[in-house]
């Protein structure tokens, strides 16, 4: 019971610190940042679902609003050539703007991974990112990749996860 309460408290903390608003309107184009349509969100959801099921959790589905939120943040990071949950607004404000203020939500960012398999392996190997992917309340995801060949990392990833 105490372990469950701690997990719930941590999840609620993540949800409160990780909920934010998002304006997914057109962004000013910055040199060397280009969105790519190569990423298969359904394959990503299947891979994350398989991982979650291995840990006794429910699978996830792709949510188009969360895909837009992920693309927004991956694009912001690519345009600035750095990783930050704060570029483009706090996670809390970005999630508020898409109506997820009272939902469990989390975000994983990464840069430099060439493939979906590589970025998922990085997130699984990172305790905080892994904890996000294994939040019991998560049911929907959006994932995006933005290539920025003129930057140090070349490729930026964002995974936004939310409860029902």
């Amino acid at each position: 019971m105490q372990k469950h309460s701690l997990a719930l408290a941590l999840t609620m903390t993540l949800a409160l610190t990780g909920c934010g608003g998002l304006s997914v309107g057109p962004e000013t184009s910055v040199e060397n940042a280009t969105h790519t349509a190569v990423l298969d969100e359904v394959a990503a959801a299947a891979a994350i679902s398989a991982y979650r099921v291995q840990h006794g959790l429910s699978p996830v589905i792709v949510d188009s609003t969360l895909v837009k939120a992920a693309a927004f943040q991956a694009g912001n990071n690519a345009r600035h050539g750095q990783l930050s949950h704060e570029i483009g607004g706090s996670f809390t404000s970005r999630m508020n703007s898409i109506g997820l203020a009272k939902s469990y939500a989390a975000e994983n960012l990464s840069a430099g991974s060439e493939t979906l398999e590589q970025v998922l392996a990085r997130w699984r190997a990172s305790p905080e990112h892994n904890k996000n992917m294994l939040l019991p309340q998560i049911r929907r995801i959006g994932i995006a990749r933005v290539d920025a060949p003129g930057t140090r990392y070349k490729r930026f990833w964002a995974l936004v996860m939310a409860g029902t």
Side-chain angles (χ1 to χ4, degrees):
M1 184 70 153
Q2 185 178 10
K3 186 176 180 181
H4 177 70
S5 297
L6 178 61
L8 182 58
L10 287 172
T11 301
M12 291 181 74
T13 301
L14 281 172
L16 293 173
T17 61
C19 294
L22 169 66
S23 298
V24 286
E27 284 294 309
T28 305
S29 177
V30 174
E31 187 176 330
N32 296 325
T34 58
H35 288 274
T36 61
V38 178
L39 183 61
D40 183 347
E41 293 95 357
V42 174
I48 293 167
S49 290
Y51 184 61
R52 288 174 54 81
V53 168
Q54 287 173 353
H55 288 84
L57 300 170
S58 65
V60 294
I61 60 168
V62 176
D63 180 292
S64 62
T65 300
L66 297 180
V67 170
K68 289 177 188 172
F72 176 83
Q73 196 59 17
N76 281 324
N77 281 258
R79 280 185 284 284
H80 289 86
Q82 64 183 35
L83 280 178
S84 171
H85 292 280
E86 302 302 315
I87 294 174
S90 71
F91 184 66
T92 301
S93 66
R94 289 184 283 115
M95 294 302 100
N96 282 338
S97 75
I98 61 172
L100 291 178
K102 295 180 180 169
S103 175
Y104 286 94
E107 176 177 73
N108 285 356
L109 301 176
S110 187
S113 295
E114 299 239 350
T115 66
L116 174 64
E117 293 77 19
Q118 288 174 347
V119 76
L120 290 176
R122 280 186 177 182
W123 286 333
R124 285 190 303 266
S126 162
E128 291 300 314
H129 293 102
N130 190 56
K131 183 169 42 172
N132 286 345
M133 289 194 304
L134 296 177
L135 285 171
Q137 296 82 3
I138 298 303
R139 299 290 184 270
R140 302 174 292 132
I141 67 154
I143 189 167
R145 184 191 91 203
V146 175
D147 291 343
T151 66
R152 172 183 172 198
Y153 297 110
K154 313 270 186 259
R155 185 163 282 175
F156 293 80
W157 300 81
L159 171 65
V160 177
M161 301 155 278
T164 54

